[in-house]
Amino acid sequence: EQDREVLTWELYGQAARELAQTVADSGFVPDVVLGIARGGLIPAGSLAYALDCKNLFTISVEFYTGVDSRLDVPVMLPPFLNAHDLDEASVLVVDDVADTGRTLELVAEFCSGHVRDLQTAVLYEKPQSVITCDHVWKRTSRWINFPWSTQPPVTSRSGVVDA
Ligand code: 5GP
């Protein structure tokens, strides 16, 4: 498909290493990696390992409900992160893609006034993003198929719903 940007698992492995290398080369050394659930969690885990950072936090934000269909505004979902846990920390906020950039903007706002330093890292950034990310693996304006969300959820083959 030409209208989609396709990231395979194999290419993802390379992308995550290259993104981590970009962060390392910049001299930014995060105390905390903060992954935005769910799309940012796999990249956040990969970056935390590659950057040798053991403090891995998550924050859950919902915006998109389907291909190009989204809520009016991004909303934070429980369990809520305590912003005081980020006091005086250098935080690397990680997501899969900055599309409108409003999810990252919300998270950056939530962290501001607490963190010492905040930088953002994404696999993809789109031209319309309101946030200019500090670290980007690739730029595209197409809809991206990520390896973790392209296939539908698995369903039970036994037909048993209640275990
Ligand atoms: P934003 O707030 O930057 O518009 O996008 C937030 C979230 O929407 C992303 O973290 C991602 O989960 C989802 N999203 C935005 N654009 C795409 C896309 O092109 N492909 C997929 N699979 N998800 C997207």
Side-chain angles (χ1 to χ4, degrees):
E1 287 180 14
Q2 258 308 101
D3 58 333
R4 296 286 173 96
E5 178 85 34
V6 176
L7 183 64
T8 61
W9 277 117
E10 194 178 11
L11 186 56
Y12 168 70
Q14 190 188 323
R17 274 313 276 198
E18 288 175 5
L19 184 57
Q21 190 66 59
T22 304
V23 176
D25 289 346
S26 77
F28 186 70
V29 180
D31 302 312
V32 170
V33 170
L34 174 58
I36 306 178
R38 289 177 293 174
L41 290 192
I42 291 167
S46 299
L47 289 185
Y49 268 111
L51 298 169
D52 200 22
C53 175
K54 291 182 176 174
N55 298 316
L56 183 53
F57 286 48
T58 72
I59 188 166
S60 199
V61 179
E62 183 168 69
F63 196 10
Y64 283 71
T65 50
V67 175
D68 278 332
S69 66
R70 54 183 178 244
L71 308 173
D72 294 336
V73 292
V75 287
M76 244 178 258
L77 300 177
F80 299 113
L81 176 67
N82 185 343
H84 283 297
D85 292 345
L86 304 173
D87 280 344
E88 293 307 308
S90 289
V91 178
L92 183 66
V93 180
V94 181
D95 209 350
D96 48 1
V97 49
D99 187 315
T100 65
R102 292 179 62 198
T103 298
L104 276 161
E105 185 184 49
L106 176 72
V107 172
E109 231 164 70
F110 174 83
C111 296
S112 76
H114 293 275
V115 300
R116 183 212 321 276
D117 242 346
L118 184 143
Q119 292 200 3
T120 50
V122 291
L123 292 167
Y124 294 93
E125 185 178 88
K126 298 194 187 179
Q128 66 269 20
S129 176
V130 295
I131 289 255
T132 302
C133 295
D134 298 287
H135 311 284
V136 177
W137 178 66
K138 191 174 178 186
R139 290 167 206 286
T140 185
S141 47
R142 296 187 289 177
W143 184 264
I144 306 146
N145 280 357
F146 290 103
W148 45 83
S149 54
T150 298
Q151 294 178 286
V154 296
T155 53
S156 166
R157 282 177 294 211
S158 69
V160 177
V161 178
D162 276 350

